Amino acid sequence: VRVELDAIAAAVQDELRASTTSSSPSSVSLLRVIQAVNHVLYTKLNFRGNEDDYYDPRNSYINQVLKRKLGNPITISVVYMAVAARVGATVQAVNSPGHLLLKAEVARPDMQADTVFVDAFSSGRVMTRLEAAEFLTVRLPGDLDDDALTRMMTILSTPMTPTKIYSRMLHNLVHACARGGDQAAAVVFSEALSALELAAATVHDTANGSS
């Protein structure tokens, strides 16, 4: 997996060098890095979200995602973050319900920071905070109240921890395996999820001084 990610990152660096005078993270804008990652991942390498077989368990294995260039929102996002990090860019996952998005702080012409959101599942579509909130809100099940959009805007401000990312990947595997009739695998992943959540709770309690 590391070799494949390194190779993708090298291609992004080549893309940056071809279009700018410097490939240094300090001198290349984050928005330009996002554009380069999008070009390499989706145009050159043809990565894409697996809309045709969304619940295929292979969509949740990073090695399979790199091999098949197909994944679900969270695994495509993990690949995206890993590649961005390798070229010195900080892109974070946010704990958005139903469909994981990425966020990045980019500089506006007036040098103020502005947050943009990237849908790695949909060819790296870049959205403003409001566009991202509207996109996620309409995907929520059930009737929506007047405050749903406001709550979603708040959710988009919270980055996901690595533990939460792993947890959502395991949730996906439990659901995909159960849906596909592989109950034995679903049980294994469910047990791994329980162990991860227990460990996370233990660490949280220890950090907060609980006995």
Side-chain angles (χ1 to χ4, degrees):
V1 169
R2 183 176 299 173
V3 172
E4 288 93 335
L5 292 172
D6 287 346
I8 297 171
V12 172
Q13 290 281 27
D14 289 342
E15 177 70 18
L16 290 169
R17 292 190 188 98
S19 59
T20 61
T21 58
S22 172
S23 61
S24 169
S26 62
S27 57
V28 176
S29 75
L30 182 50
L31 188 58
R32 179 67 194 102
V33 173
I34 290 172
Q35 292 168 345
V37 173
N38 284 354
H39 182 70
V40 170
L41 279 181
Y42 305 112
T43 302
K44 286 189 172 181
L45 299 179
N46 199 32
F47 275 82
R48 61 195 186 279
N50 192 354
E51 297 180 352
D52 295 330
D53 197 358
Y54 190 90
Y55 295 103
D56 186 334
R58 291 176 296 179
N59 293 334
S60 291
Y61 296 110
I62 297 298
N63 63 323
Q64 288 294 319
V65 172
L66 291 168
K67 177 181 179 180
R68 302 168 66 235
K69 298 180 173 59
L70 289 170
N72 57 35
I74 193 163
T75 49
I76 295 285
S77 293
V78 167
V79 170
Y80 198 109
M81 286 188 291
V83 171
R86 280 166 166 75
V87 296
T90 300
V91 178
Q92 297 177 300
V94 293
N95 197 18
S96 47
H99 189 97
L100 189 137
L101 296 178
L102 302 172
K103 75 169 185 172
E105 302 292 334
V106 301
R108 301 197 308 252
D110 60 6
M111 301 305 292
Q112 296 297 311
D114 199 8
T115 304
V116 298
F117 294 84
V118 178
D119 184 359
F121 185 78
S122 300
S123 301
R125 175 191 174 193
V126 178
M127 295 175 277
T128 64
R129 184 184 297 274
L130 179 58
E131 288 171 339
E134 290 174 339
F135 168 77
L136 293 169
T137 300
V138 298
R139 299 170 69 92
L140 294 175
D143 296 330
L144 301 177
D145 58 47
D146 294 339
D147 296 327
L149 184 61
T150 301
R151 291 198 301 272
M152 191 63 70
M153 294 276 280
T154 301
I155 289 172
L156 289 172
S157 300
T158 308
M160 290 180 74
T161 64
T163 299
K164 188 63 178 179
I165 293 174
Y166 299 146
S167 176
R168 283 183 66 160
M169 291 175 75
L170 287 170
H171 269 292
N172 286 345
L173 279 166
V174 170
H175 181 70
C177 291
R179 183 185 177 94
D182 191 347
Q183 296 301 326
V187 169
V188 170
F189 289 122
S190 181
E191 291 175 347
L193 176 60
S194 296
L196 177 65
E197 291 176 341
L198 177 60
T202 301
V203 170
H204 180 270
D205 289 344
T206 300
N208 286 276
S210 300
S211 58

